[in-house]
Amino acid sequence: MPREAKGEIATLLTMLRMPVRYADKTARVSRILFEVEHQKLCADAAEHENKLQEKHLKQV
């Protein structure tokens, strides 16, 4: 999540005076979504690297 979005979420939570529990759950969900996206990007990068290696082996 971009830094600007985090700031906007913090501002909204402050302005709305949401209960701390709700804000904490929102933060946890954001963290989980970040981790899932990070793992997907890592898997995509690994797959791309494997394809490059396979292509190189075929050329050799």
Side-chain angles (χ1 to χ4, degrees):
M1 178 179 295
R3 216 170 227 191
E4 302 85 38
K6 288 181 184 177
E8 290 174 10
I9 290 173
T11 301
L12 285 172
L13 292 176
T14 303
M15 289 172 49
L16 296 175
R17 298 176 189 262
M18 291 184 171
V20 174
R21 265 186 292 151
Y22 184 78
D24 188 47
K25 287 179 183 179
T26 302
R28 276 191 238 142
V29 169
S30 294
R31 180 69 182 167
I32 290 169
L33 292 174
F34 172 82
E35 287 297 328
V36 168
E37 188 64 27
H38 181 258
Q39 289 177 8
K40 284 171 47 181
L41 290 171
C42 288
D44 289 347
E47 183 180 347
H48 180 71
E49 183 66 28
N50 286 340
K51 287 181 181 179
L52 288 176
Q53 289 177 0
E54 287 176 13
K55 185 178 178 181
H56 178 71
L57 286 174
K58 286 180 183 178
Q59 291 175 351
V60 173

